[in-house]
Amino acid sequence: MRLTTVELRRLLWRRIPALAVLAALVISLVALIGVHGQARQIAQAKAGADASLQAAIEDWEENGETYLQECIQEQEEERRLSGDAGIDFGCDDIRPPTAEEWYGELPPVGEQYTQLLGIAVYPLLLLALAVGSTGVAAEFSHRTMGSFLTFVPRRVPVFTSKVVAAALISIPVVGVCLVALVLGVPAVYRLTGNDPSILADGILPSFWMSLRILGLGLAAGALGAGAAFLLRHSGLVIGLLVGYLMVVEGVLGNLLPGIARFSIGRNVGAVVQDGTEWVTYVDCEDANGCREVVHQLSLEHGVVTLSVIVALVLALGLIRFVRSDVD
């Protein structure tokens, strides 16, 4: 406990946690700016103050009947040529444009949270990993790790304290973004004059989602520290991670859908969203077109897979730290 406290103080005196918190705040602000832009546009459209929608309405009033008749004529021509009376071009759906059709409906606050958190989690985890790896790798680069071991020669407690501290330091990094979104989204909705009834809808799922993201942040911080013990250079840790995500999960994951079940990205998504699913297409050479295959991952699968990855990296980092020389 004493070593962990010392490690936390040492990390807090470095600039990288403060920069990571600032970056997390920027992420949340960018997300809120996007929500504000969408909300303001929808509010203006409903108030009849959106030039683009008004132009579309005027065009419909002038040419709407012509568009409808053209659609019906093309539909009848296609039915005549094909002999299929069931062909439907959807002409009955052609109606005057509305604000909801033009810009969509603003989702309830809870749904908005889950959408934003589902996107923000990936840069947040990268920040947590960077803080954890930099805190450990800097000691190897500055050759201070050896002096630390002079005072505390047992390397396992030293390793444990640094990994736990790196995990804990992720809490403010992830937490500042979560708090900013929790406070910011209702504020944006109120400022843009949206219906108050959507402010309290669906809050509970996003609360559990936030807790799972905090847990992932702890794991990312620990993973970064463990990888730094293994590779001893933060740039190498982040570079290998980015390369792995691009090559293995980006390229090979598309070519070999079977490995996607064990990819970091898919399993992070499964944990964040309490299970996830995605679609691939097979048998595309068939005359009837591609066959759709739906893949699913549960929350439990995501937790187990990510835990194995973190445990493996920590074990390798500990083995190298215990057995190799430290300057």
Side-chain angles (χ1 to χ4, degrees):
M1 186 64 186
R2 183 171 60 87
L3 283 176
T4 302
T5 304
V6 171
E7 280 302 317
L8 271 176
R9 287 177 178 173
R10 188 183 64 81
L11 284 175
L12 290 173
W13 275 104
R14 295 178 57 81
R15 283 184 295 180
I16 185 69
L19 292 175
V21 169
L22 183 61
L25 191 59
V26 170
I27 291 171
S28 61
L29 290 177
V30 169
L32 291 175
I33 289 172
V35 174
H36 180 267
Q38 182 191 16
R40 188 179 62 176
Q41 208 161 34
I42 292 174
Q44 287 179 341
K46 288 182 176 178
D50 185 83
S52 176
L53 177 59
Q54 290 306 308
I57 292 174
E58 292 172 4
D59 180 63
W60 168 262
E61 292 172 348
E62 184 177 349
N63 304 305
E65 188 61 31
T66 302
Y67 296 151
L68 181 59
Q69 292 304 320
E70 288 177 352
C71 179
I72 294 174
Q73 289 175 4
E74 291 176 2
Q75 178 179 269
E76 292 301 323
E77 180 67 13
E78 187 64 25
R79 288 177 177 176
R80 185 182 65 78
L81 293 175
S82 64
D84 183 358
I87 291 178
D88 186 0
F89 280 10
C91 300
D92 294 339
D93 296 330
I94 298 179
R95 297 186 179 90
T98 63
E100 290 77 10
E101 292 174 343
W102 205 249
Y103 291 111
E105 287 281 2
L106 202 63
V109 158
E111 187 178 334
Q112 185 76 71
Y113 280 145
T114 58
Q115 290 178 7
L116 295 178
L117 291 175
I119 298 172
V121 63
Y122 296 100
L124 288 178
L125 295 184
L126 185 60
L127 286 174
L129 182 139
V131 172
S133 65
T134 303
V136 172
E139 289 197 78
F140 287 105
S141 299
H142 299 156
R143 298 180 183 277
T144 56
M145 185 69 79
S147 62
F148 191 85
L149 293 173
T150 302
F151 297 98
V152 184
R154 294 174 301 169
R155 292 189 178 183
V156 174
V158 172
F159 177 90
T160 303
S161 67
K162 292 182 182 297
V163 169
V164 172
L168 293 177
I169 205 69
S170 70
I171 293 177
V173 176
V174 176
V176 70
C177 183
L178 296 179
V179 171
L181 292 179
V182 167
L183 298 179
V185 171
V188 168
Y189 275 41
R190 289 185 183 279
L191 285 173
T192 51
N194 282 278
D195 184 357
S197 64
I198 65 175
L199 290 177
D201 191 10
I203 294 295
L204 189 59
S206 56
F207 170 75
W208 292 115
M209 190 177 187
S210 299
L211 289 183
R212 292 195 294 273
I213 291 176
L214 275 175
L216 287 173
L218 292 170
L223 178 67
F229 275 108
L230 181 62
L231 301 174
R232 301 191 174 184
H233 196 289
S234 184
L236 191 55
V237 172
I238 296 174
L240 280 177
L241 176 65
V242 173
Y244 165 80
L245 293 176
M246 292 177 62
V247 176
V248 178
E249 301 204 357
V251 179
L252 294 181
N254 290 325
L255 296 176
L256 304 170
I259 68 173
R261 297 185 61 79
F262 303 99
S263 71
I264 295 176
R266 294 291 184 192
N267 284 280
V268 167
V271 174
V272 172
Q273 300 167 23
D274 193 8
T276 186
E277 66 178 34
W278 69 98
V279 176
T280 59
Y281 297 91
V282 298
D283 301 333
C284 291
E285 66 278 2
D286 191 273
N288 295 323
C290 299
R291 182 166 59 87
E292 186 178 279
V293 179
V294 179
H295 305 270
Q296 295 180 328
L297 277 186
S298 66
L299 168 64
E300 292 76 12
H301 186 285
V303 170
V304 171
T305 302
L306 296 177
S307 297
V308 169
I309 293 173
V310 173
L312 178 62
V313 172
L314 289 177
L316 293 175
L318 177 60
I319 290 172
R320 185 177 184 194
F321 184 56
V322 170
R323 294 189 174 183
S324 61
D325 293 334
V326 177
D327 293 333

